[in-house]
Amino acid sequence: MIKFLDLHKINMLHQDETEQRLLKTFRSGWYLLGQEVKQFEQELSAYTGSKHAIGVANGLDALRLIFKAYIELGEMQPGDEVIVPANTYIASVLAITDNGLKPVFTEPDINTYNIDVAGIEEKITSRTKAIMIVHLYGQAVFSYGLEQLAQKHNLKIIEDNAQAIGARWNDISTGNLGDAAGFSFYPSKNLGALGDAGAVTTSDDILAKTVRALANYGSGEKYINNYQGLNSRLDEIQAAVLNVKLKYLDAENVRRREIAGYYIQNINNPGIILPQPPEDGTNHVWHLFVIRTKERNRLQAYLLNKDIQTQIHYPVPPHKQQAYREYNHLSFPVTETIHNEVLSLPISPVLTLEEARTVAEAINNFK
Ligand SMILES: *Cc1c(COP(=O)(O)O)cnc(C)c1O
């Protein structure tokens, strides 16, 4: 069986180091707001180039806290609008609506699956306060045009960087392209913890301070609460694991690129649309390798029959979910086509080229 993602194997790559670090943390007697989190925040900030990194409980909270902080700071108000790609994981949208803000969906570029900058300006109204970009599947999305558009209309750029840690655009890391970014270290992400974990990065001092306070009951100083905050802290155990794994992230992303390169060179079936080769080697970290075909469900069953696991990211877009009934009537043909046709192939730092060959051959033989 070729697993879609072998998390056991991935975490065993650094077994000794991780086990020692976990044991040390266990024995330290200090489990929250300690040295491991502090170190991780420093390293993540150095890694991305952002001035601040704040560990939080998960990726959704990271994004929620950014908007909550902007609201506390008076930069946004409930009812304001945030432009967001229609084809994203629902968490991007939940972070917006949870704060009483209004998601304004926009179509992606059918070639990159990332937000289509050309479609943004027509969505801007007097209530628009931010554009959320999602570096989907691990591919960085940014442009001077986007930056200028945001400046012209005085909009924040928020990055959902749950899938693209390590990717760069023009030598700038994702997480340091916009005003603030949310990271997820959910176990299956390129940098995965052993449970839930997340972070916010920003170079805005006041925003960083506000997010940090909001994540800790709205308190900057013990028992003094400036805001009605939440409890959303990164714990020491998860930070310990992340401190070990962050060192290997770049090498693991290189492995992902090798697998992606292999698939791109060796899959040639006229019924299959491959991801576009990225503009340069560093703007894609291949969190997912997503192909498209009109025969998606049949291909998935065929591959499973050959012991190859695949997944669909994602089968139903947020605006068609029951959770967002008020948006169900909206129509985004590009987004809906993507959701009907995508299939994610196995890719990870522990997938062997031999396994990649088996996958490619099976797809080439699919009629
Ligand atoms: C994983 C993910 C999130 C949410 O992260 P969690 O840590 O699971 O809360 C948000 N956005 C995108 C695009 C994701 O892939």
Side-chain angles (χ1 to χ4, degrees):
M1 167 70 78
I2 299 181
K3 286 193 176 176
F4 177 69
L5 190 70
D6 192 336
L7 275 182
H8 177 264
K9 210 168 164 189
I10 287 175
N11 284 315
M12 287 304 134
L13 280 174
H14 319 295
Q15 181 177 5
D16 287 350
E17 205 180 339
T18 307
E19 286 181 357
Q20 279 169 32
R21 193 80 170 235
L22 283 169
L23 192 60
K24 187 175 152 218
T25 310
F26 168 62
R27 289 180 174 168
S28 75
W30 195 286
Y31 307 112
L32 282 165
L33 304 175
Q35 281 310 313
E36 290 288 358
V37 169
K38 198 169 197 173
Q39 182 185 334
F40 180 67
E41 289 178 343
Q42 280 166 358
E43 285 180 6
L44 184 65
S45 132
Y47 184 84
T48 57
S50 309
K51 202 165 157 196
H52 306 279
I54 302 120
V56 301
N58 55 63
L60 171 58
D61 276 6
L63 295 167
R64 284 168 73 199
L65 283 160
I66 292 168
F67 289 111
K68 196 168 168 62
Y70 278 128
I71 289 172
E72 291 292 355
L73 292 170
E75 304 235 20
M76 295 180 193
Q77 284 174 13
D80 284 344
E81 296 171 4
V82 178
I83 294 172
V84 61
N87 64 318
T88 183
Y89 180 55
I90 197 165
S92 317
V93 185
L94 289 170
I96 297 169
T97 56
D98 185 61
N99 280 292
L101 299 163
K102 188 171 171 241
V104 175
F105 297 105
T106 188
E107 287 271 49
D109 177 332
I110 189 68
N111 294 309
T112 62
Y113 311 134
N114 271 330
I115 197 166
D116 183 359
V117 176
I120 295 178
E121 193 155 25
E122 66 187 49
K123 306 270 174 169
I124 297 174
T125 73
S126 59
R127 294 222 66 173
T128 310
K129 289 292 156 61
I131 303 168
M132 184 188 280
I133 55 175
V134 183
H135 305 296
L136 200 67
Y137 306 150
Q139 179 162 28
V141 55
F142 205 75
S143 67
Y144 294 114
L146 177 71
E147 201 167 33
Q148 277 161 9
L149 193 64
Q151 265 162 20
K152 179 173 153 196
H153 297 275
N154 198 21
L155 309 177
K156 304 287 182 200
I157 297 178
I158 315 293
E159 298 171 71
D160 179 339
N161 196 28
Q163 302 191 354
I165 185 168
R168 281 187 280 279
W169 177 82
N170 277 354
D171 283 332
I172 306 171
S173 289
T174 54
N176 191 23
L177 290 162
D179 295 279
F183 289 67
S184 167
F185 309 113
Y186 178 80
S188 69
K189 301 289 159 86
N190 286 30
L191 178 63
L194 304 182
D196 279 315
V200 172
T201 55
T202 180
S203 292
D204 178 335
D205 296 344
I206 296 169
L207 184 73
K209 204 173 158 198
T210 311
V211 166
R212 189 178 288 288
L214 283 171
N216 188 28
Y217 295 111
S219 162
E221 195 187 322
K222 206 166 189 185
Y223 303 130
I224 306 296
N225 299 71
N226 299 326
Y227 314 106
Q228 296 171 19
L230 4 154
N231 175 359
S232 180
R233 298 174 299 220
L234 173 63
D235 65 65
E236 289 285 290
I237 291 275
Q238 298 306 339
V241 173
L242 295 170
N243 278 325
V244 171
K245 291 180 77 179
L246 181 58
K247 293 183 290 192
Y248 304 105
L249 176 65
D250 284 346
E252 293 183 358
N253 282 341
V254 167
R255 282 287 300 147
R256 287 175 182 269
R257 282 191 188 115
E258 283 167 15
I259 305 285
Y262 183 88
Y263 280 152
I264 289 173
Q265 278 193 341
N266 292 282
I267 296 176
N268 50 22
N269 180 325
I272 307 285
I273 300 169
L274 291 169
Q276 274 204 340
E279 292 156 38
D280 68 53
T282 64
N283 79 345
H284 208 319
V285 290
W286 300 101
H287 172 58
L288 297 170
F289 189 95
V290 177
I291 62 172
R292 257 172 59 219
T293 168
K294 296 216 182 324
E295 300 288 337
R296 189 262 307 279
N297 293 348
R298 205 162 62 78
L299 176 61
Q300 184 173 40
Y302 161 91
L303 290 172
L304 192 59
N305 194 37
K306 293 192 169 317
D307 275 347
I308 299 168
Q309 291 181 341
T310 57
Q311 286 189 14
I312 297 168
H313 297 93
Y314 299 91
V316 183
H319 73 279
K320 292 294 182 196
Q321 297 282 358
Q322 214 196 320
Y324 286 118
R325 276 180 293 274
E326 64 271 42
Y327 300 119
N328 285 177
H329 66 283
L330 297 177
S331 156
F332 296 100
V334 180
T335 296
E336 287 153 31
T337 300
I338 290 171
H339 282 74
N340 287 329
E341 298 185 354
V342 286
L343 190 67
S344 305
L345 304 184
I347 190 164
S348 86
V350 297
L351 193 83
T352 64
L353 279 180
E354 194 52 41
E355 289 173 314
R357 190 166 65 156
T358 305
V359 175
E361 279 173 3
I363 292 176
N364 290 344
N365 291 327
F366 175 71
K367 302 223 170 41

